[in-house]
Amino acid sequence: MSKLTHLDEEGSAHMVDVSAKATTARKAVASGRISMSAEAAAAIAQGLVKKGDVLAVARVAGIMAAKRTSDLIPLCHPIALSSVSVDLDLDGTGVSVTATAKTAGQTGVEMEALTAASVALLTVYDMAKALDKGMIISNVRLLAKSGGKSGDWTAREDGAV
């Protein structure tokens, strides 16, 4: 197992010094899903949710969350994101989200992509909870990352680690 970079020699948490790392193009893609009743999915599809356009608000919430990741995750570096996209796919049983974050920098954007996906899903829950309090958020995970010293990585399709 490789050394945990957020722990110093004494085992104390610290922010990693990235000043010596090369600036490279970096990208991360994360996904997740919220499952719900057919009735709730239909209401979202038909624009009948009283709070408004669920997918549009969730998209904006995910983008905003990616930009605020370092405010939420204590040891994350503030990153100048060059692009964040949040794609939502509604079907008869829920919403799947795919979030992509990009930068040219000294550290990766995995946490930004994961945060965008998570907050988009939480926003769907918030906006539709009056229709289905039993919705289930699941399978939030990193799908792929590129750039940096460790290079490219892609999740296994079967979801195993």
Side-chain angles (χ1 to χ4, degrees):
M1 178 179 278
S2 57
K3 180 183 174 209
L4 296 174
T5 58
H6 284 81
L7 298 178
D8 64 17
E9 293 76 26
E10 290 81 39
S12 299
H14 72 103
M15 182 181 260
V16 175
D17 181 356
V18 298
S19 61
K21 292 174 81 176
T23 297
T24 62
R26 296 165 185 267
K27 176 181 172 182
V29 181
S31 67
R33 177 151 178 90
I34 185 165
S35 301
M36 63 188 65
S37 66
E39 295 78 17
I44 292 170
Q46 296 167 20
L48 300 176
V49 178
K50 290 184 181 181
K51 287 189 173 186
D53 185 335
V54 174
L55 301 182
V57 174
R59 179 175 292 107
V60 172
I63 293 167
M64 291 175 64
K67 296 179 353 179
R68 301 294 302 263
T69 299
S70 67
D71 293 336
L72 301 169
I73 311 295
L75 301 177
C76 279
H77 293 84
I79 294 177
L81 294 167
S82 55
S83 173
V84 177
S85 64
V86 177
D87 298 313
L88 298 122
D89 181 34
L90 174 66
D91 61 35
T93 61
V95 178
S96 295
V97 63
T98 303
T100 303
K102 295 180 184 178
T103 192
Q106 295 171 295
T107 191
V109 288
E110 296 91 343
M111 295 308 299
E112 286 72 13
L114 286 162
T115 299
S118 298
V119 170
L121 293 166
L122 288 167
T123 301
V124 171
Y125 186 94
D126 178 58
M127 293 192 70
K129 67 186 176 212
L131 302 169
D132 182 0
K133 289 179 181 31
M135 291 179 282
I136 299 170
I137 295 173
S138 62
N139 300 323
V140 175
R141 68 185 195 132
L142 185 66
L143 295 178
K145 60 86 60 191
S146 62
K149 182 177 149 185
S150 64
D152 297 351
W153 178 87
T154 303
R156 288 176 37 169
E157 288 191 32
D158 63 7
V161 286

